[in-house]
Amino acid sequence: MTIDIVLLRQIHHKLRHLPVWGIHAIVTFFAFIAAVWLLFRPGALEVSVHTAKRGKIETTVTNTRAGMIEACQRTNLSTIVGGRVDYLGVAEGDRVEAGQVLMRLWQGDLRAQESVLQARQISAHQRHREACALARQAEKDARRQEELVKSKFVSPTAAEKARAEADSRNAACASAEAEVETAVRQLESVGTDLDRTVIAAPFSGTVAKINAELGEISTPSPAGIAMPPAIELIDDSCLYIKAPMDEVDAPKIQPGQSARIRVEALKEQDFEGRVRRVAPYITAVEKQARTVSVDIDFANPASIQGLLVGYSVDVEIILASRDDALLIPVTALREGNKALVLGKNGIISERTVQTGIANWQQTEILSGIKDGERVITSLNLAGLLPGERARISSVTNPR
């Protein structure tokens, strides 16, 4: 301090002895130096910033290819035997009830056989009644003869003859009963053959497609050869989503997780869903990503009214969610979980942050940044270093 005072006194003493033009020259020199510095000093960087604010964030996975709306029940129906189509009682788009006859083949030969067997069954019942009536009478006669033998009114030979007759009649009754059973089974067999010529709805639903015409020959599929079904039936009262997810995401997906469903044909409306099943195997499709098939139910069954089986859909499965998280853009993070914060004084500072859940756009900040602070998102600017001065060119805020 003493040296500075002495130095200032010496400078003051010398300036007092300078002529006026000398003082003007010194002042002009320093003014020139200041002007040059102001003219050529580096300007403040222009940066884009994002204001950290609290909001909701979700971590999601989406399908790799378009999913599809499927019916809970969908079946291809064909007759078991071949024949000429004699009855076709529905058209494509018709609603049908479970058990309703949809198609029937010609049954003339089977109906004739059924009539013969019905007559044979009636005859067998009559023979059975007659044979058993005679057996009951013969049994009574045999018992009467056996009582008379005890009283010695008839010989034992007569009683033995009566017993033999009763046994014969009982055997004839049993044989007639077996014939009745055979006739019943033969008639049931024809009934089974008749059932093979009929297609009935196994459940209530809508006829999606018919590959048969009245009067044409319907042929069942031979072994190993796929033939078009005669009738395709779907139950459109119960729908679900089948969507392919990338194999990398498969371990993250669990039954019960919530999902958002967007139908391509109804872009203005989202549907809530819930994961029901994750396939226990990976599907490999040629020239496409390896995927796992995920089944997703509609959370509100009433919302499916008007949806069509086969609609293409996109699905977002929600893996995690926070309602009150401090959020910044993913683009504001540097390597090592660092972020640049622009202070109110315009000076850049670097923060190390702790992150929580994240998605493609935003990440949750657990520590290192406070609500309302401005993080720099234009990280590709040259000279963007802590301690530098910057000014804001644009501000973005979370949705």
Side-chain angles (χ1 to χ4, degrees):
M1 179 64 67
T2 305
I3 298 175
D4 292 340
I5 294 174
V6 172
L7 180 61
L8 288 173
R9 286 177 177 176
Q10 291 176 352
I11 293 172
H12 180 262
H13 177 72
K14 291 181 179 181
L15 288 175
R16 287 180 59 188
H17 292 82
L18 282 176
V20 176
W21 63 267
I23 295 174
H24 288 172
I26 292 173
V27 172
T28 302
F29 173 77
F30 280 106
F32 175 76
I33 294 298
V36 171
W37 181 82
L38 289 173
L39 182 63
F40 293 100
R41 69 172 180 175
L45 293 169
E46 292 190 354
V47 295
S48 298
V49 298
H50 180 100
T51 304
K53 289 187 179 296
R54 293 194 171 274
K56 183 175 182 179
I57 185 172
E58 295 175 339
T59 300
T60 63
V61 294
T62 58
N63 47 294
T64 57
R65 300 190 309 278
M68 183 180 298
I69 295 181
E70 300 278 1
C72 296
Q73 296 186 96
R74 183 171 188 165
T75 184
N76 295 324
L77 303 171
S78 295
T79 54
I80 299 176
V81 297
R84 188 180 77 245
V85 178
D86 189 53
Y87 170 79
L88 188 59
V90 292
E92 292 181 359
D94 284 357
R95 293 283 305 175
V96 299
E97 299 298 325
Q100 180 178 334
V101 175
L102 310 180
M103 191 182 86
R104 184 172 57 241
L105 302 182
W106 180 74
Q107 301 175 335
D109 54 342
L110 294 175
R111 290 298 180 186
Q113 186 178 353
E114 182 183 42
S115 298
V116 171
L117 291 176
Q118 286 173 341
R120 185 178 297 173
Q121 184 181 22
I122 293 172
S123 176
H125 277 293
Q126 291 174 345
R127 289 196 300 271
H128 174 253
R129 285 195 295 270
E130 180 183 2
C132 291
L134 293 174
R136 288 190 295 271
Q137 184 60 44
E139 183 66 27
K140 291 179 181 179
D141 291 344
R143 289 176 182 176
R144 188 180 301 112
Q145 292 293 328
E146 290 168 353
E147 292 295 327
L148 292 174
V149 167
K150 293 177 182 179
S151 302
K152 296 183 180 180
F153 285 110
V154 296
S155 65
T157 302
E160 290 173 357
K161 184 177 180 181
R163 170 51 57 191
E165 179 67 16
D167 291 344
S168 176
R169 294 295 184 181
N170 285 329
C173 175
S175 178
E177 185 176 359
E179 288 181 6
V180 170
E181 186 66 20
T182 299
V184 170
R185 296 293 174 260
Q186 288 176 337
L187 196 57
E188 289 177 352
S189 177
V190 173
T192 301
D193 291 338
L194 287 169
D195 290 341
R196 291 176 178 175
T197 66
V198 175
I199 295 179
F203 52 80
S204 299
T206 301
V207 177
K209 191 170 182 60
I210 298 177
N211 294 306
E213 295 290 342
L214 191 65
E216 73 177 11
I217 301 298
S218 175
T219 305
S221 298
I225 302 176
M227 298 286 288
I231 296 175
E232 184 178 354
L233 182 66
I234 59 175
D235 178 10
D236 53 6
S237 66
C238 174
L239 304 178
Y240 72 100
I241 304 298
K242 186 175 287 293
M245 297 289 175
D246 194 286
E247 62 175 342
V248 176
D249 297 325
K252 309 172 190 175
I253 304 173
Q254 301 295 330
Q257 290 174 333
S258 298
R260 269 191 300 271
I261 302 167
R262 295 185 180 91
V263 180
E264 186 67 23
L266 304 170
K267 294 183 178 180
E268 71 283 356
Q269 183 179 2
D270 285 352
F271 298 86
E272 294 182 10
R274 196 165 300 278
V275 176
R276 170 163 52 92
R277 172 183 174 271
V278 181
Y281 57 89
I282 300 297
T283 302
V285 180
E286 186 179 358
K287 297 182 180 180
Q288 295 185 10
R290 296 166 65 87
T291 59
V292 61
S293 180
V294 178
D295 294 348
I296 300 162
D297 290 327
F298 286 91
N300 181 13
S303 67
I304 68 174
Q305 297 296 325
L307 295 182
L308 302 180
V309 174
Y311 265 158
S312 61
V313 298
D314 289 322
V315 175
E316 270 188 300
I317 297 176
I318 302 171
L319 305 179
S321 177
R322 298 278 192 280
D323 289 328
D324 188 30
L326 184 61
L327 306 176
I328 67 170
V330 174
T331 54
L333 286 178
R334 307 177 83 181
E335 187 176 355
N337 272 7
K338 296 182 182 299
L340 296 178
V341 176
L342 183 62
K344 293 181 179 180
N345 58 0
I347 302 300
I348 299 172
S349 63
E350 186 176 62
R351 309 276 184 85
T352 299
V353 300
Q354 181 183 359
T355 60
I357 65 174
N359 54 35
W360 291 105
Q361 295 178 326
Q362 297 177 325
T363 185
E364 178 188 17
I365 298 299
L366 302 178
S367 65
I369 295 176
K370 296 180 180 178
D371 190 0
E373 288 191 309
R374 299 170 298 182
V375 293
I376 297 175
T377 56
S378 52
L379 299 181
N380 57 344
L381 290 176
L384 193 63
L385 297 171
E388 294 292 330
R389 183 177 297 276
R391 64 171 178 264
I392 299 172
S393 63
S394 63
V395 179
T396 59
N397 290 298
R399 291 183 299 174

